[in-house]
């Protein structure tokens, strides 16, 4: 089974993807994780990614699609979870082409629906908790970067909701519920 987890930054896509990996032996393809790894790699690509992310902008389709292609060439296990990809209609078309190239299909798109103000509060609290626990907050977990990321999400990604609805793949889930409740709603949507 191949699925997309769709939702704004901080909606819980990573948390829910981790649960699906555990419960269904799926492979999480998190562009956020892949980009953060590239960002700290010290490579030329990593420096480009860091600069783009620090400005709160989205990286180019070519970079993201290249990272996804590398992952699709590997082990398939229980299917793929696309977390944070696609973000645009062009990426959605590219993903469809990539899946077809590898003999795969897209089974479902789960939209984690959230309230922006609650989401901003949630992410700022996540940053405070990380620091309080002796760690570091993610560099992009501040209100200014977050609002830029949300605006980018709504401008570029919200058309995907209509795109996947028209294809019959879209399932909406309340992303602000307790983790267990959101997981249960996702399980229902996938059955």
């Amino acid at each position: 089974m191949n699925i997309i987890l769709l939702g704004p930054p901080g909606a819980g896509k990573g948390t829910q993807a981790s649960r699906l990996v555990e419960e269904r032996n799926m492979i999480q393809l998190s562009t956020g994780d892949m980009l953060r790894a590239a960002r700290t790699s010290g490579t030329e690509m990593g420096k480009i990614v860091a600069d783009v992310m620090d400005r709160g902008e989205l990286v180019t389709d070519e970079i993201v699609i290249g990272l996804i292609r590398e992952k699709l060439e590997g082990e398939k296990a229980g299917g793929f979870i696309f977390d944070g990809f696609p973000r645009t209609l062009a990426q959605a078309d590219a993903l469809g082409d990539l899946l077809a190239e590898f003999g795969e299909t897209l089974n479902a798109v789960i939209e984690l629906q959230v309230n922006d103000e609650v989401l901003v509060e949630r992410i700022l609290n996540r940053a405070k908790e990380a620091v309080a626990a002796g760690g570091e907050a993610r560099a992009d977990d501040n209100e200014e970067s977050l609002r830029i990321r949300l605006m980018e999400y709504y401008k570029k990604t919200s058309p995907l909701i209509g795109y996947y609805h028209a294809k019959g793949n879209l399932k909406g889930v309340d992303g602000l519920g307790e983790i267990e409740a959101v997981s249960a709603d996702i399980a229902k949507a996938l059955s």
Side-chain angles (χ1 to χ4, degrees):
M1 176 174 278
N2 298 309
I3 67 170
I4 293 172
L5 291 179
L6 193 60
K13 297 180 299 291
T15 299
Q16 293 303 324
S18 295
R19 295 177 72 93
L20 289 165
V21 165
E22 237 177 74
E23 296 164 6
R24 295 177 181 244
N25 194 33
M26 298 178 83
I27 297 171
Q28 178 184 7
L29 299 183
S30 166
T31 53
D33 291 346
M34 289 187 284
L35 291 169
R36 279 187 287 279
R39 177 182 201 201
T40 59
S41 68
T43 64
E44 201 55 42
M45 179 61 75
K47 291 174 187 170
I48 292 167
V49 169
D51 183 51
V52 171
M53 287 175 75
D54 288 346
R55 291 194 312 262
E57 297 173 5
L58 300 177
V59 296
T60 65
D61 287 357
E62 292 77 21
I63 292 170
V64 177
I65 291 165
L67 292 171
I68 295 286
R69 176 181 295 281
E70 287 176 3
K71 299 295 184 181
L72 288 177
E73 290 170 345
E75 180 189 350
K76 307 242 182 305
F80 295 102
I81 303 163
F82 297 94
D83 166 10
F85 180 87
R87 290 184 188 260
T88 65
L89 292 173
Q91 287 180 357
D93 287 337
L95 177 60
D97 293 345
L98 270 176
L99 287 171
E101 181 182 324
F102 287 94
E104 299 283 335
T105 58
L106 182 64
N107 302 97
V109 177
I110 306 296
E111 179 196 4
L112 296 176
Q113 300 163 331
V114 297
N115 172 294
D116 286 356
E117 294 311 310
V118 175
L119 187 65
V120 169
E121 188 177 316
R122 175 194 275 185
I123 292 175
L124 294 177
N125 285 337
R126 176 176 75 185
K128 286 178 195 166
E129 288 169 10
V131 171
E136 289 186 32
R138 283 178 26 186
D140 55 356
D141 275 358
N142 61 71
E143 190 163 357
E144 183 181 347
S145 279
L146 180 59
R147 294 211 182 266
I148 291 169
R149 288 163 58 209
L150 283 171
M151 184 59 66
E152 286 294 308
Y153 171 79
Y154 288 117
K155 282 195 310 196
K156 295 180 177 172
T157 307
S158 61
L160 292 176
I161 294 165
Y163 177 91
Y164 286 117
H165 175 75
K167 289 182 172 279
N169 294 106
L170 189 69
K171 313 271 188 212
V173 170
D174 177 4
L176 290 176
E178 292 297 319
I179 292 172
E180 294 293 332
V182 175
S183 292
D185 288 345
I186 290 173
K188 279 184 217 160
L190 295 179
S191 59

